[in-house]
Amino acid sequence: MTIENLSANKSFGGWHKQYLHSSSVLNCPMRFAIYLPPQASSEHKVPVLYWLSGLTCTDENFMQKAGALRIAAKLGLAIVAPDTSPRGDEVPDDEAYDLGQGAGFYVNASEAPWDQNYRMFDYVNTELPAIIESTFPVTNQKSIAGHSMGGHGALVSALRHSSQYRSVSAFSPIAHPGDCPWGRKALSAYLGKDRGQWTQYDAVQLLCDQRDCLPALVDQGQDDEFLVEQLKIDVLESVVNNNGLPINIRRHAGYDHSYYFIASFIEDHLTFHAEHLGLL
């Protein structure tokens, strides 16, 4: 596996770098970003937090807007941010912002024309970690987090691969995609009309039958314009409370769906993961 370094910027004593590689899972070139804190070296490997971004985003949004690099440098935590979907002229797309390129929803598509490229679940949980761990000075200890569509992806990844991650967190996640407009549109396109196939990518559905899960932190802004119709946090909270699950759901008055919200509480999330990764 060869990867091409596209950029490198020193930041808080560490390095933020972008890379391009050919993905065998997605059948197209893919870009990702990695922040390596100053503690990372060939003699000292560091754990990794994988960050999954939301609709319309790329690897750049979180790295540039969240204010996470200063905290990661202090903690000794690497951060990896993949793109949100396969991309390219040969990759299927849709005119709408909530389907196609930029809107992979972190699922393995089974319906044409999406099934040849849109296998983001396997990319995030299998192919990309293998590349990261074989290329950079990191351990195999990892946690996962995300925002909105990426919060959905992080929760589902952690629930289905609980042995792979130490902890999970999310900002404003699409918690119940099987019952919201964004989710119904994407899941029916990528997976077909059989709603039974949707369950494996729905955090609320996955949690209904569970009595245990990874340590989890969820932050939600109360002034989020998508809160009621799209995110379904109330449903998530109800399942969590009924099953006594170790998921801390925090609500914040006045905050919306933007990176202003993420930047306000990102230190809490990185510290939460650092504790479960043994850094604190």
Side-chain angles (χ1 to χ4, degrees), residues 11-172:
S11 181
F12 298 103
W15 287 92
H16 171 275
K17 298 182 178 183
Q18 286 179 311
Y19 288 89
L20 186 72
H21 74 101
S22 178
S23 169
S24 59
V25 169
L26 303 178
N27 296 309
C28 69
M30 284 295 289
R31 190 177 75 185
F32 68 84
I34 184 169
Y35 177 70
L36 291 169
Q39 297 89 335
S41 68
S42 57
E43 293 78 29
H44 181 75
K45 296 183 177 182
V46 298
V48 183
L49 175 66
Y50 287 83
W51 174 269
L52 307 184
S53 290
L55 288 167
T56 75
C57 292
T58 68
D59 64 282
E60 294 183 332
N61 296 74
F62 177 78
M63 293 298 202
Q64 294 182 6
K65 295 180 179 181
L69 305 191
R70 176 187 61 81
I71 306 156
K74 179 181 178 180
L75 294 170
L77 178 64
I79 301 176
V80 171
D83 203 345
T84 51
S85 77
R87 297 183 192 266
D89 293 340
E90 303 303 316
V91 174
D93 197 10
D94 190 90
E95 292 182 356
Y97 75 95
D98 54 356
L99 185 68
Q101 295 186 34
F105 268 83
Y106 304 101
V107 304
N108 288 339
S110 57
E111 296 291 301
W114 314 102
D115 56 337
Q116 295 303 305
N117 302 100
Y118 285 75
R119 302 186 62 80
M120 287 296 293
F121 186 80
D122 281 353
Y123 177 72
V124 165
N125 292 288
T126 304
E127 185 178 30
L128 184 58
I131 293 170
I132 298 301
E133 290 167 21
S134 64
T135 307
F136 301 100
V138 301
T139 70
N140 62 1
Q141 302 302 310
K142 47 189 170 285
S143 294
I144 192 165
H147 170 233
S148 194
M149 178 185 72
H152 139 76
L155 290 172
V156 170
S157 294
L159 288 168
R160 290 180 56 186
H161 287 286
S162 58
S163 63
Q164 184 169 319
Y165 300 104
R166 293 293 188 90
S167 53
V168 58
S169 73
F171 288 89
S172 314

Side-chain angles (χ1 to χ4, degrees), residues 260-280:
Y260 294 108
F261 173 45
I262 296 172
S264 298
F265 298 99
I266 192 62
E267 186 165 5
D268 289 355
H269 283 242
L270 266 61
T271 301
F272 167 78
H273 292 298
E275 290 173 349
H276 290 286
L277 288 164
L279 293 174
L280 295 175

